[in-house]
Every structure is written in structure tokens, then in C-alpha cells.
Amino acid sequence: MKKPTTLALAALSSFALAGAALATGALPRSGDDFAVYKELQDWTVYADGERGSCLIERVDEAGNVMQMGLDKKHKHAYVGIFTLADIDIKNRQKVEILVDDALFEGKVHGIKSKKLKGDYSGGYVILKDANMVTAIAEGQTMVAFPEKTGGLFVIDLTGTKNAIDEARKCNLEIAK
């Protein structure tokens, strides 16, 4: 079984992240049983056997990581962005995400820990706007800029639609 490359999920159990998303189990946990469902282009689709849901992950040339997935009830989606850069993302910090020409706002659940492989930091944003998932799937570039960090993340969305489609198939299969 191959674990997600950033091991960002392993750090979640060591943080007390508040909010409805965690109460409903939207974010994966370190003890979950991940297996590679499919690899396509730069994306890997992981099946989370513990929760009965799937996530996608991509690592770019700079080592930045993007993850997307659904909770086990398939009611909440999330996007996670992680970097090796020295940034300080606060829990429940406001973030703006620009996907091509569409701007979305949310709150990031920040993670920074020596327990992340390669000392990654970043966070997860719970997607409350269904249009954001469509924008990410169909978009070319995503730019995330958290308030007060001075950080700016530019993510190439090439192949995202195919990866999301595969994650949807995975979610249907694993939920059975």
C-alpha cells in the first residue's frame, strides 16, 4: 500500500482542527488505509479504505502538493495545498483562491509540522461552493493567497478534470 507522498495526512491526528468539516469527517486521518487506485499523468488517485472515500494528489516540479477529496458521506469536498517554503498558515485563516478568472474565499485549516515528510506546511480548505470544484476541474491555473502570510501558491491544473473524474469513479466503487 502506497501512502500519499507528502504524508500530510499523518499530521492531521496531531492537530486539533476545529470546525464542521472535521466533525463530519471531511479530512482524512493518519490511520486511514490508503491504496493507489489509479495513476494518470501527474496525478495519483488514492482509495481510503477506512473512510470509504477517495482523494487525488499531485506534486509539481517545485515540490508543491495539491490534494482534493470528499468526506466519507460525500457531502464535503476539500482542497489541500502544501509547500516546502517556510510559511505560517494559521488555523481557520482566511484564504482567497483564484481559478482562472473566478475568485473564491474560504478558511484554511493550517498544518505545519516536522511530522510532514520533507517538513511541508500548508492546509486544507473545505469547499462550500460547488462551482469551485467545477472551476478547478475545468481550469488551467489556481492561485491561492492566504491573508497575512505573504505566501502565494500557483498550481497548474493540467489533468485535474481527468483525476477528479477518476476519483468520482473510485468513490462510487469504494462506497459499495
Side-chain angles (χ1 to χ4, degrees), residues 37-38 40-41 43-45 54-57 66-70 77-79 99 127 130-139 142 157-172:
Y37 174 80
K38 189 167 190 174
L40 33 107
Q41 296 172 338
W43 289 93
T44 303
V45 180
C54 302
L55 67 90
I56 62 173
E57 179 180 87
M66 179 179 164
Q67 295 177 341
M68 289 184 71
L70 295 174
Y78 60 86
V79 61
V99 180
L127 307 181
N131 293 322
M132 187 172 177
V133 175
T134 302
I136 291 171
E138 296 174 359
M142 179 171 71
L157 298 175
T158 301
T160 305
K161 183 176 183 342
N162 290 339
I164 290 172
D165 289 345
E166 285 301 321
R168 286 180 175 143
K169 290 177 191 173
C170 176
N171 278 314
L172 290 173

Side-chain angles (χ1 to χ4, degrees), residues 49-71:
E50 298 293 318
R51 296 165 7 93
S53 67
C54 302
L55 67 90
I56 62 173
E57 179 180 87
R58 178 174 186 243
V59 181
D60 69 17
E61 301 85 32
N64 298 315
V65 178
M66 179 179 164
Q67 295 177 341
M68 289 184 71
L70 295 174
D71 70 354

Side-chain angles (χ1 to χ4, degrees), residues 14-89:
S14 62
F15 287 89
L17 301 176
L22 292 175
T24 60
L27 301 180
R29 301 192 189 280
S30 64
D32 290 358
D33 183 22
F34 292 97
V36 173
Y37 174 80
K38 189 167 190 174
E39 292 182 356
L40 33 107
Q41 296 172 338
D42 295 337
W43 289 93
T44 303
V45 180
Y46 292 97
D48 182 343
E50 298 293 318
R51 296 165 7 93
S53 67
C54 302
L55 67 90
I56 62 173
E57 179 180 87
R58 178 174 186 243
V59 181
D60 69 17
E61 301 85 32
N64 298 315
V65 178
M66 179 179 164
Q67 295 177 341
M68 289 184 71
L70 295 174
D71 70 354
K72 65 182 178 182
K73 293 182 180 181
H74 299 201
K75 291 185 178 184
H76 297 282
Y78 60 86
V79 61
I81 301 171
F82 301 92
T83 182
L84 292 168
D86 187 20
I87 60 167
D88 186 19
I89 303 290

Side-chain angles (χ1 to χ4, degrees), residues 66-130:
M66 179 179 164
Q67 295 177 341
M68 289 184 71
L70 295 174
D71 70 354
K72 65 182 178 182
K73 293 182 180 181
H74 299 201
K75 291 185 178 184
H76 297 282
Y78 60 86
V79 61
I81 301 171
F82 301 92
T83 182
L84 292 168
D86 187 20
I87 60 167
D88 186 19
I89 303 290
K90 303 292 183 205
N91 216 8
R92 306 206 33 92
Q93 177 177 330
K94 289 183 183 179
V95 65
E96 292 179 325
I97 298 174
L98 183 66
V99 180
D100 294 338
D101 60 354
L103 183 65
F104 301 93
E105 295 181 354
K107 290 191 178 180
V108 65
H109 299 275
I111 297 173
K112 182 171 183 166
S113 169
K114 299 285 186 196
K115 294 182 181 182
L116 297 176
K117 181 180 179 183
D119 200 19
Y120 276 86
S121 57
Y124 288 100
V125 176
I126 304 306
L127 307 181
K128 295 183 179 181
D129 185 342

